[in-house]
Amino acid sequence: MMRALVTLTPPESKRLIAKAVVALDEVQYALKHGFVYIATGTTAAYIAEEILGKKIEKEKWTVGVISKGRTCVTPKETWPKHLVLYKGKPFEGDPVEALKEMGPEDVFIKGANAIDPNWNVAVFAAAPDGGTIGRTFGWTITKGVLTITPISLEKFVPTPVEYSAKITGIHSFDWGTGLYSALVPIPHAVPVTEVEAYDILANVDAIPIAAGGAGGAEGSVTLVLEGDDEDMKKAKEITKQIKGEPYLKPYTENCENCPFAKICGIGSGAF
């Protein structure tokens, strides 16, 4: 039995988790035989890169974002479309058409903003129609589509997400430091954190023991890895591959142009 102490920055964790999600048997099967629907988001962008085998502008692969010390959105002209693959190739139709056809052997991938002690996950939604979660989850839940949620433990929160959902909402706040949002639980989701990622990729146990840092390590997660010698060698190689993954550059909308200004503490002048 070997043991290692590993600290991962947020981008390193995202890269690790992306590799693990793509390696899942269910994802590999869907890439060959059915649909893989990847909803936009920064963590999901890493998964898109791993599948497509090319770099994308990950900062622009999202709409909602927590950046520059506030909940915010990216510029509307850069809002991306969800990536939908059918048998490993881009789906030519509208994403909604893919949702209509998807079933239990297909995969829906959506990042999140919170994971609680019970490993339940939730995502922010600020659009009045519920955003991505409002427009897609009716289709995926009713038809039993496998929902995978890639999420780093930097997003771990002690508050159960079902409680958070009761105290948030775009019209729930009197003032704030950014975009007012609802935190919406993602039902039936299968989270993939650093813990699951090391198990999937190297068959080793990952035990979170610390979080945070400074001087470029803000948001980091520190883990103890344990496993047999050969598995730990594999874990070491994987860790070497992801170390040094660069941070994303902040990328947010100008408040003067923001379509969500009325439900934002800054844009509405409430803060």
Side-chain angles (χ1 to χ4, degrees):
M1 177 75 70
M2 294 182 67
R3 185 178 290 128
L5 182 66
V6 172
T7 296
L8 301 178
T9 64
E12 291 166 352
S13 286
K14 290 174 187 284
R15 182 63 68 187
L16 173 75
I17 291 167
K19 289 180 180 294
V21 169
V22 175
L24 284 168
D25 290 341
E26 295 88 344
V27 174
Q28 286 297 309
Y29 182 89
L31 283 171
K32 294 176 183 177
H33 303 285
F35 285 98
V36 173
Y37 189 120
I38 307 175
T40 55
T42 54
T43 304
Y46 288 80
I47 296 171
E49 283 190 338
E50 292 291 326
I51 291 176
L52 298 174
K54 64 179 182 180
K55 294 290 183 181
I56 63 176
E57 290 186 275
K58 293 185 286 296
E59 291 90 344
K60 297 182 180 181
W61 220 69
T62 187
V63 176
V65 64
I66 299 176
S67 183
K68 301 179 182 177
R70 63 180 186 267
T71 49
C72 197
V73 294
T74 55
K76 189 171 184 178
E77 63 270 16
T78 70
W79 288 358
K81 292 184 178 180
H82 298 172
L83 175 63
V84 183
L85 302 171
Y86 180 66
K87 294 184 177 180
K89 296 182 179 180
F91 180 66
E92 299 298 332
D94 189 278
V96 173
E97 295 305 313
L99 288 169
K100 292 178 181 179
E101 295 183 33
M102 291 170 69
E105 294 187 337
D106 300 308
V107 173
F108 182 85
I109 298 172
K110 177 72 179 82
N113 297 99
I115 181 168
D116 71 13
N118 298 315
W119 245 232
N120 294 317
V121 294
V123 62
F124 273 134
D129 64 357
T132 295
I133 190 169
R135 294 189 294 268
T136 59
F137 275 84
W139 294 103
T140 59
I141 292 170
T142 55
K143 296 195 293 180
V145 176
L146 175 63
T147 297
I148 297 173
T149 301
I151 181 168
S152 169
L153 290 173
E154 69 156 326
K155 298 180 180 180
F156 177 83
V157 294
T159 307
V161 298
E162 61 265 27
Y163 176 74
S164 302
K166 297 176 183 178
I167 60 171
T168 58
I170 61 175
H171 300 303
S172 298
F173 307 105
D174 298 304
W175 59 269
T177 61
L179 185 64
Y180 302 152
S181 302
L183 195 68
V184 183
I186 304 178
H188 310 301
V190 177
V192 178
T193 72
E194 293 87 345
V195 173
E196 289 78 19
Y198 271 112
D199 181 39
I200 293 164
L201 295 171
N203 193 37
V204 301
D205 293 328
I207 302 96
I209 64 165
E218 293 85 352
S220 293
V221 175
T222 299
L223 313 121
V224 169
L225 306 184
E226 293 182 335
D228 295 338
D229 290 5
E230 288 303 312
D231 292 336
M232 286 293 285
K233 287 179 182 178
K234 185 183 295 185
K236 184 177 182 180
E237 289 306 310
I238 292 166
T239 304
K240 284 182 178 180
Q241 291 175 20
I242 63 173
K243 289 301 290 182
E245 182 76 28
Y247 275 82
L248 301 182
K249 297 178 181 178
Y251 192 75
T252 56
E253 177 62 284
N254 186 314
C255 290
E256 295 178 358
N257 303 324
C258 183
F260 295 99
K262 291 183 180 180
I263 54 170
C264 175
I266 296 174
S268 65
F271 184 80

